[in-house]
Amino acid sequence: QAPILWNRSVTLAAGAAATLTVQAPPVRSTQGVYQGFIDVTASGSTKAEARIPWWFAVPSSTPTAIALGWRAG
């Protein structure tokens, strides 16, 4: 599942800035690693001006391995 963008489109004047809110998907996602990009594209363009990477992991409730370390003596 991808992050949720609160605003899919924002119109800005030259030199202006805006804050966009991005929310992680619901935690009920299936365990695993999820990643991708949010592309920022100018109006009327098909080329991304910026690519913002995103990554998150949903852990398993069951460990696949447990490592124990100790020192003798």
Side-chain angles (χ1 to χ4, degrees):
Q1 290 181 325
I4 300 164
L5 299 174
W6 286 70
N7 302 78
R8 295 193 57 84
S9 177
V10 175
T11 301
L12 299 172
T19 299
L20 301 176
T21 302
V22 179
Q23 178 181 344
V27 179
R28 66 179 182 266
S29 299
T30 304
Q31 81 175 56
V33 175
Y34 301 86
Q35 61 187 348
F37 293 93
I38 297 171
D39 290 337
V40 179
T41 307
S43 180
S45 176
T46 57
K47 180 184 174 197
E49 301 295 327
R51 297 194 85 198
I52 303 165
W54 61 268
W55 180 95
F56 76 95
V58 177
S60 169
S61 60
T62 306
T64 57
I66 298 175
L68 302 175
W70 68 88
R71 179 182 292 175

